[in-house]
Amino acid sequence: MVLGIIAVVAALVPNAGPAMAMLLGLAALVLGIVGLVKNHGWRAIASMTLGVVALVVAVVMTVAVYGPLKDAAASAANSILASANAGQPAPSADAETQRALKNQLRVWFGNFTPGTESDWSSVPVTVTNISQQRESYSISISAVNANGTEVEADSIYIPNLEAGQSTAKTAFKYIDTDKMDAMKSATYTITRVLVIS
């Protein structure tokens, strides 16, 4: 029963707490079953109950906390990689990306809003899943000037978009001040779509 109490408390602690709670919760559950076999009554039932509660809370905490963190880290990494090629001729979409844009998703871009001292820059992006199943997408975008040169590059990640649904994202948040004017007149092109079923 003591292990079950510690496991429930540990499940609520960020970082290593949920992992520890899973181990302690499993131990509390097993010891509760052993106690039930040996007729330890309410303590055995309490141990099993606390073990199950700890396991459930640990799983919920892991999904709720670490799922969004993983998505944010993937999006940040994609943005950094996409920005590394800015200033060169804009890449063109490969055949797989063209197929995806024709058969699996539609993408619309809003107008560029320059950043201020208190806010990030932004380009609203609306993505619609036109396929017949839920999909996740990683989309690389280039902002291109009139000469066809890439001003800036970014990418967005859309997890688990249901068939027929749309979602709104924001691209080009982190723009250097010396690129603001070029971004105001840039057009946006999709250079790569990775579809994750």
Side-chain angles (χ1 to χ4, degrees):
M1 189 170 73
V2 172
L3 283 177
I5 293 169
I6 295 170
V8 170
V9 172
L12 300 172
V13 176
N15 297 333
M20 181 188 296
M22 287 183 191
L23 293 173
L24 293 176
L26 190 59
L29 183 61
V30 170
L31 292 175
I33 293 170
V34 170
L36 197 60
V37 170
K38 293 187 176 186
N39 292 323
H40 287 286
W42 69 269
R43 288 188 189 123
I45 293 171
S47 176
M48 290 188 314
T49 303
L50 288 169
V52 168
V53 168
L55 288 170
V56 169
V57 171
V59 168
V60 168
M61 285 292 289
T62 300
V63 169
V65 172
Y66 297 111
L69 286 178
K70 182 185 80 171
D71 293 344
S75 180
N78 286 339
S79 294
I80 291 167
L81 290 173
S83 294
N85 292 327
Q88 306 199 2
S92 58
D94 59 17
E96 182 181 336
T97 295
Q98 292 174 8
R99 250 190 322 275
L101 291 170
K102 181 179 179 184
N103 302 319
Q104 295 182 287
L105 75 157
R106 294 284 183 266
V107 182
W108 293 270
F109 298 103
N111 294 323
F112 175 72
T113 303
T116 63
E117 290 182 11
S118 61
D119 203 5
W120 300 111
S121 302
S122 65
V123 172
V125 182
T126 303
V127 179
T128 302
N129 179 352
I130 61 169
S131 73
Q132 300 300 312
Q133 61 186 10
R134 182 172 64 186
E135 305 278 13
S136 295
Y137 305 104
S138 177
I139 303 171
S140 297
I141 307 163
S142 286
V144 181
N145 66 18
N147 298 329
T149 302
E150 186 174 75
V151 176
E152 190 60 82
D154 199 1
S155 65
I156 56 173
Y157 177 68
I158 295 113
N160 302 318
L161 188 61
E162 296 290 342
Q165 288 190 337
S166 296
T167 189
K169 292 286 184 176
T170 302
F172 299 101
K173 293 180 186 177
Y174 315 108
I175 303 297
D176 292 335
T177 53
D178 60 336
K179 294 182 180 178
M180 289 289 181
D181 287 335
M183 286 294 294
K184 290 176 187 175
S185 60
T187 57
Y188 308 104
T189 181
I190 297 169
T191 56
R192 180 155 174 76
V193 173
L194 179 62
V195 179
I196 307 149
S197 297

